[in-house]
Amino acid sequence: MTYVNMMPAELAEKYTREKLWMQKTVFDILSEQAAKHPGRVAIRDQRGSISYGALRDRIERAAQFYRSIGIDRGDVVTIQLPNRIEFAVAFIALELLGAIANKVNPDFRARELSYMLKFSGSSAYVFPKEWKDFDYAGMARGLQRDNPEIKRLIVVGGAVDGMHDFDAGVGAAAPIAATDKVHMDPNEVCRMCFTSGTTGDPKCALHSFNTTLYAVELLNHDMEVTEREVFLAFLPLGLNWGYITLLQSILAGGTLVLMERFSPRAALELIQNERVSYIPTAPAGLVGLLNAPGAETFDVSSLRVVITGGASAAVETIREYQKRMKGHLIELYGMLEAGFQTYTRFTDDPQKVNGTIGRPVHAMELRIVDAEGGDVPVGEIGELMSRGPSIHLGYHNNPNANAIAFNKEGWFRTGDLGRVVDADGNVQITGRSKEIINRGGKKFFPREVEEILYTHPAVMHAAMIGMPDARLGERNCLCVVPKSDSVPTLDEFVAFLRDQVADYKLPESIERFSELPMTGSGKIQRHVLRDLVSQRRATTSQ
């Protein structure tokens, strides 16, 4: 299949000429690290650890296993795994066949996955037998019935009748022969990643090794990462930032410690016991660490860098962290489509940059524009546009989205609003132009939940909105116009939605209305709805 590439040829030539792109694949880098220090621990999860040498070997065996069940060059394989060593093995092995990995959030359920599997053209699906007490194998059977193009169901963590056993298959396979290995071009599409979307369905962004690894190399350089680094990843590897953290560790030759489920106390224990030095997190993670019972009793002196991003952290949270915890706290702005565009620096005065996302980094260019695309003056709010070596190649099979997102010079519209706040170029995010709910760094478009709610017999109109929350940034509020005097309780709505969508998309509060504020064309005015809920809550609290 031929994939879109929205990056102008002259920009690609520039990034190549200036050696901003590494011109390597992930397996190239892993092989180099395995040759340099084969016995060093590469990844440690809740079940054990694996060295660089053993990781390379297992990846080569996984490639042969994939090959033996018919996965070939150009095939798309969807991977839905929690934070385990097997994620790295299953993902990286695909490049040795020239296949494309489509990583997805392990929390997604059938409704979300069905669309992603079909739209990506996946011919195989890799998933855990069970996780969080959920039967993934049972879901997989249903997904295959709905999408016969999924020829191979590959289960990790135990055998299931009628499915390929990943663990047994990899264990029995020999390393893939050199003559069968594919060496992908670093400019080829190597991964698909679905966004939260700005309509009912998410968009599918395409990345090459070069666009991916530029962001990794840049962050490692600026954060002064070395082979002594111990990363802690509780962000899902199936999401972009968790995946980037895996690559950061491999590129540095460091050690990655994985958590399958975030628990503040368990994270503090790992920081202390593993001497963790580097943590990427959303603001909710910071709040969790700060408020864990007995947090002050843990030795966190090993922390060197903690990066917060994905959602805006409250200034009070940032200041409390700087007062009570160790390490440099870095505020970062990035996104799936664009890598990392700005972040604060070690040399910044925290009192000056707290509450900003820092300034543009190295070859990543940033503009703030008005509705006509003209640059706005310093201090004025506009939409952020980004250009640089880590910008994605475009949205798969979505020419309309590409036409809106990119201009002919290769500038990408982020959909976020912000302004430059000082002479140093530090930027402050002021809002979003897209109607996405951002709960603790996990984003989703409310329409997908509303579509399900409209199938409920008691619902006439429904709208999900994000209400401000000090810990998570936003919490999900369900606004309902019922068909009768009675309205289901919050627990009843949660039960109705559960197993259809990920847990972070479930409503956390409910408000009843006789009508919802609409535009003349029938669109819900969500900003008005938020104001109405805020007014109600302010009145109730008086």
Side-chain angles (χ1 to χ4, degrees), residues 8-143:
E10 58 270 22
L11 282 182
E13 291 168 2
K14 175 177 183 284
Y15 302 149
T16 300
R17 183 176 63 253
E18 296 180 359
K19 298 183 178 180
L20 296 171
W21 281 341
M22 296 181 69
Q23 303 299 347
K24 293 180 180 180
T25 72
V26 174
F27 188 76
D28 288 339
I29 296 167
L30 175 65
S31 296
E32 291 171 2
Q33 298 295 5
K36 284 193 290 187
H37 34 67
R40 177 179 295 162
V41 172
I43 307 174
R44 194 187 312 279
D45 66 13
Q46 293 173 214
R47 292 163 174 78
S49 61
I50 190 168
S51 67
Y52 276 94
L55 180 59
R56 178 182 59 186
D57 178 73
R58 194 177 298 183
I59 287 168
E60 291 183 329
R61 292 176 187 274
Q64 178 58 30
F65 162 68
Y66 281 149
R67 184 172 179 271
S68 73
I69 63 173
I71 294 175
D72 205 349
R73 185 168 180 76
D75 285 347
V76 177
V77 178
T78 291
I79 298 176
Q80 184 183 37
L81 292 174
N83 284 8
R84 297 174 184 169
I85 290 169
E86 287 79 8
F87 178 97
V89 176
F91 193 100
I92 300 172
L94 290 172
E95 76 165 81
L96 300 184
L97 302 173
I100 297 169
N102 173 38
K103 58 181 177 57
V104 297
N105 190 331
D107 287 325
F108 283 167
R109 297 294 181 257
R111 184 180 181 90
E112 298 136 322
L113 286 168
S114 181
Y115 173 80
M116 293 176 180
L117 286 162
K118 290 177 182 177
F119 192 88
S120 65
S122 294
S123 64
Y125 170 40
V126 183
F127 54 91
K129 181 178 180 181
E130 188 179 47
W131 185 62
K132 285 187 175 181
D133 300 319
F134 182 76
D135 179 13
Y136 284 81
M139 178 175 68
R141 287 194 180 95
L143 289 167

Side-chain angles (χ1 to χ4, degrees), residues 210-426:
N210 275 334
T211 60
T212 299
L213 289 169
Y214 177 77
V216 177
E217 185 180 33
L218 180 63
L219 200 56
N220 273 13
H221 176 272
D222 287 351
M223 297 302 117
E224 300 175 7
V225 172
T226 73
E227 62 184 23
R228 296 184 298 277
E229 213 72 64
V230 179
F231 294 82
L232 175 61
F234 45 74
L235 298 175
L237 299 181
L239 296 181
N240 193 59
W241 202 2
Y243 171 71
I244 292 296
T245 305
L246 166 66
L247 299 190
Q248 279 187 266
S249 188
I250 291 173
L251 180 61
T255 297
L256 177 66
V257 178
L258 297 176
M259 289 186 73
E260 291 188 15
R261 303 173 71 171
F262 177 67
S263 155
R265 185 173 181 87
L268 288 165
E269 289 174 351
L270 285 172
I271 293 168
Q272 175 177 275
N273 297 336
E274 300 288 343
R275 305 304 294 161
V276 169
S277 57
Y278 191 113
I279 303 177
T281 183
L286 290 182
V287 174
L289 294 174
L290 290 168
N291 290 282
E296 66 283 351
T297 66
F298 290 91
D299 178 5
V300 297
S301 60
S302 59
L303 285 177
R304 192 181 66 82
V305 179
V306 176
I307 302 187
T308 178
S312 296
V315 174
E316 293 77 12
T317 300
I318 295 167
R319 288 172 178 162
E320 186 178 359
Y321 180 92
Q322 291 167 336
K323 186 186 306 179
R324 292 176 47 195
M325 296 287 281
K326 298 294 184 181
H328 296 279
L329 182 64
I330 301 293
E331 296 174 78
L332 172 148
Y333 172 68
M335 58 196 308
L336 165 64
E337 295 99 323
F340 308 121
Q341 292 118 292
T342 72
Y343 38 77
T344 57
R345 311 296 209 275
F346 292 159
T347 54
D348 288 335
D349 176 358
Q351 300 308 312
K352 182 177 179 181
V353 300
N354 281 351
T356 77
I357 54 170
R359 55 192 184 278
V361 294
H362 197 44
M364 297 301 296
E365 302 174 82
L366 192 72
R367 293 175 60 199
I368 301 180
V369 302
D370 56 26
E372 288 72 42
D375 295 297
V376 302
V378 171
E380 291 194 13
I381 294 174
E383 182 181 4
L384 275 64
M385 294 185 72
S386 185
R387 185 170 72 172
S390 62
I391 300 293
H392 70 131
L393 302 177
Y395 297 115
H396 173 51
N397 197 25
N398 201 332
N400 183 58
N402 285 324
I404 294 171
F406 292 91
N407 69 15
K408 61 183 180 181
E409 288 84 29
W411 287 94
F412 172 70
R413 292 186 176 275
T414 68
D416 290 313
L417 304 176
R419 60 187 168 199
V420 175
V421 296
D422 59 30
D424 293 329
N426 289 301

Side-chain angles (χ1 to χ4, degrees), residues 438-459:
N438 186 345
R439 185 188 184 281
K442 294 182 177 180
K443 304 175 184 179
F444 69 98
F445 192 79
R447 174 97 180 247
E448 64 180 300
V449 182
E450 293 162 3
E451 290 290 342
I452 303 171
L453 289 166
Y454 274 106
T455 67
H456 194 288
V459 172

